[in-house]
Amino acid sequence: METFNKVEFSIVIPVYKEEGNLNRLHEEIHKALQNERSFEILFVDDGSNDDSWEIIKSLSSKDMRTRGIRFSKNFGHQYALHAGLMHATGNAVVTMDADLQHPRSVIPQLLEAWRKGSKIVNTLRIPNKNITWIKKVTSNLYYKIFSFLSGVRISPGTSDFRLLDRQVVDELVKFNESGVFFRGLVSWVGFNNSQILFQCNDRFSGNTKYSLYKMLQFAWKGITSFSIVPLRLGILIGILTSLFAFYQLIESLYLKLFTDTTVPGWASVMGLLSLLFGVLFILIGILGEYIGRILVEVRGRPRYIISETIIPSEIHGDRDISINNKDLSYTSPESD
Ligand code: UDP
Ligand code: MG
């Protein structure tokens, strides 16, 4: 890893096609951290094909507290977070989105809780009008199912906006699995934690980078990387259907031997058969999914590739990292 002056804390921001947000975000963070002396902002460009990287370069040429890492292509939000944690130098790391949905005013609260001794400071989105009821219901349901299946509790409304102490970061970057799911891992690693509520803003510019497909993929990856309960589903359904088949067998034998009737019904047989075949294929699919995950893990390919890194000391020379806020000039208006 590069040699870099250590700072008190780092702000890690995954960026995917966020050209309309970066200048404003950078400015907002500096406003929120006016009283802080030693921090860095680390943008991780997850293979954006817009001007995001140019903007990150220009920000770091003006501000020596800003650095950047660029992926060689789009690898995904969770990997961008991982790379950010790997490269952050602070004694604490705040991770947040680039789209200004995570309000800057929460950052000082995260720091305060950390300075009081919390190793993990999570945030919880207060449900508000910006979030559609479908998103609310599906998200609540998902985290309930997730907790039930994995035994790892994640509160509904959790996002990847949080602060992690260096000790936690050092543990998290040790995880070598390719399907990293930070929301689960952060809860899994333990440590004392606290929680801060916040109102989620609207996305400032651009559209969500999580399509329905990506969202479902993310949700499924989360479950399969934390729980093997879906694999046991087959056993449960097998037991239930065997019991049912056994009952039917006894029943038809009884009717045949002791009565004049025979068991009627082509339709019922076909219905049952197709149902069971359906279930069988779903279970084979689930099995395949886990085998696929094993294959990915066994191959052990790198999870992401970094194509460029901006180290401010190369631009600015080895000056002290904690410069005065007045050195930064901004033009955009206050937002809150
Ligand atoms: N992001 C990323 N790689 C991706 C998708 C998203 O780095 O492939 C970043 C994105 O730039 C943003 C954060 O992850 O900073 C969250 O994405 P988004 O705001 O689109 O998700 P939403 O808030 O809609 O769940
Ligand atoms: Mg967002």
Side-chain angles (χ1 to χ4, degrees):
M1 211 180 293
E2 68 267 30
T3 52
F4 191 72
N5 299 342
K6 281 213 179 277
V7 290
E8 191 196 4
F9 62 91
S10 313
I11 312 251
V12 163
I13 306 167
V15 174
Y16 182 52
K17 298 199 267 191
E18 305 281 10
E19 58 184 5
N21 293 316
L22 294 177
N23 282 316
R24 169 85 176 261
L25 175 72
H26 184 257
E27 173 200 338
E28 299 246 320
I29 293 174
H30 274 289
K31 271 187 203 150
L33 299 177
Q34 263 167 20
N35 301 323
E36 299 294 339
R37 292 210 45 81
S38 170
F39 66 90
E40 64 178 354
I41 302 174
L42 173 54
F43 289 107
V44 184
D45 180 355
D46 185 10
S48 309
N49 52 9
D50 63 357
D51 272 342
S52 296
W53 183 246
E54 297 308 315
I55 296 170
I56 294 169
K57 275 209 289 207
S58 114
L59 285 172
S60 50
S61 69
K62 281 183 249 158
D63 166 24
M64 59 187 310
R65 290 192 279 200
T66 297
R67 299 199 281 148
I69 293 173
R70 185 185 203 184
F71 281 177
S72 61
K73 62 164 199 192
N74 180 239
F75 284 95
H77 180 201
Q78 298 294 300
Y79 299 120
L81 280 175
H82 189 274
L85 293 185
M86 283 291 283
H87 290 258
T89 62
N91 290 325
V93 180
V94 174
T95 55
M96 66 191 291
D97 286 359
D99 57 5
L100 295 141
Q101 283 192 297
H102 296 158
R104 62 177 161 103
S105 53
V106 179
I107 306 174
Q109 297 176 41
L110 295 174
L111 292 168
E112 197 190 326
W114 171 58
R115 284 169 182 150
K116 281 188 187 148
S118 285
K119 295 280 182 198
I120 297 173
V121 193
N122 282 311
T123 65
L124 214 58
R125 204 169 50 213
I126 304 171
N128 62 2
K129 58 175 179 9
N130 304 336
I131 300 170
T132 59
W133 68 268
I134 297 182
K135 180 138 188 168
K136 236 183 281 177
V137 169
T138 50
S139 151
N140 278 357
L141 192 70
Y142 175 70
Y143 288 120
K144 285 223 169 73
I145 296 174
F146 181 93
S147 305
F148 172 72
L149 292 179
S150 65
V152 174
R153 241 190 81 72
I154 304 181
S155 314
T158 303
S159 60
D160 286 311
F161 181 27
R162 62 170 79 82
L163 178 145
L164 302 167
D165 182 78
R166 168 59 41 199
Q167 205 184 347
V168 182
V169 173
D170 286 345
E171 293 304 328
L172 284 175
V173 296
K174 282 186 206 157
F175 284 77
N176 277 324
E177 59 202 68
S178 69
V180 277
F181 183 65
F182 278 107
R183 288 172 205 187
L185 290 181
V186 166
S187 162
W188 187 89
V189 292
F191 292 102
N192 64 29
N193 60 71
S194 51
Q195 218 156 46
I196 285 170
L197 299 176
F198 78 96
Q199 288 275 357
C200 191
N201 296 330
D202 279 338
R203 174 176 256 281
F204 180 63
S205 158
N207 297 321
T208 175
K209 305 302 175 311
Y210 272 102
S211 57
L212 182 68
Y213 175 70
K214 255 190 173 179
M215 202 74 204
L216 288 175
Q217 212 180 19
F218 178 63
W220 179 243
K221 253 191 177 175
I223 287 184
T224 50
S225 70
F226 270 87
S227 168
I228 55 163
V229 174
L231 283 173
R232 297 194 189 124
L233 217 62
I235 303 177
L236 183 71
I237 296 176
I239 290 173
L240 290 178
T241 51
S242 304
L243 285 176
F244 183 65
F246 189 65
Y247 161 77
Q248 272 214 324
L249 204 69
I250 301 276
E251 192 195 22
S252 28
L253 269 177
Y254 173 82
L255 292 177
K256 171 118 183 109
L257 294 176
F258 301 108
T259 67
D260 297 336
T261 49
T262 47
V263 188
W266 184 86
S268 62
V269 173
M270 285 313 285
L272 200 65
L273 218 61
S274 346
L275 175 77
L276 289 184
F277 265 116
V279 170
L280 200 65
F281 280 116
I282 292 174
L283 292 176
I284 293 177
I286 292 179
L287 209 65
E289 193 68 31
Y290 278 90
I291 295 175
R293 292 292 300 266
I294 298 171
L295 178 69
V296 170
E297 296 295 343
V298 168
R299 267 203 305 240
R301 285 188 186 158
R303 285 172 287 185
Y304 48 81
I305 293 168
I306 292 172
S307 62
E308 278 178 72
T309 316
I310 306 170
I311 307 169
S313 57
E314 284 176 0
I315 304 169
H316 301 275
D318 282 327
R319 278 189 285 153
D320 182 7
I321 193 76
S322 42
I323 53 166
N324 199 314
N325 269 298
K326 288 189 204 99
D327 296 352
L328 302 161
S329 51
Y330 295 111
T331 45
S332 314
E334 177 86 31
S335 72
D336 294 359

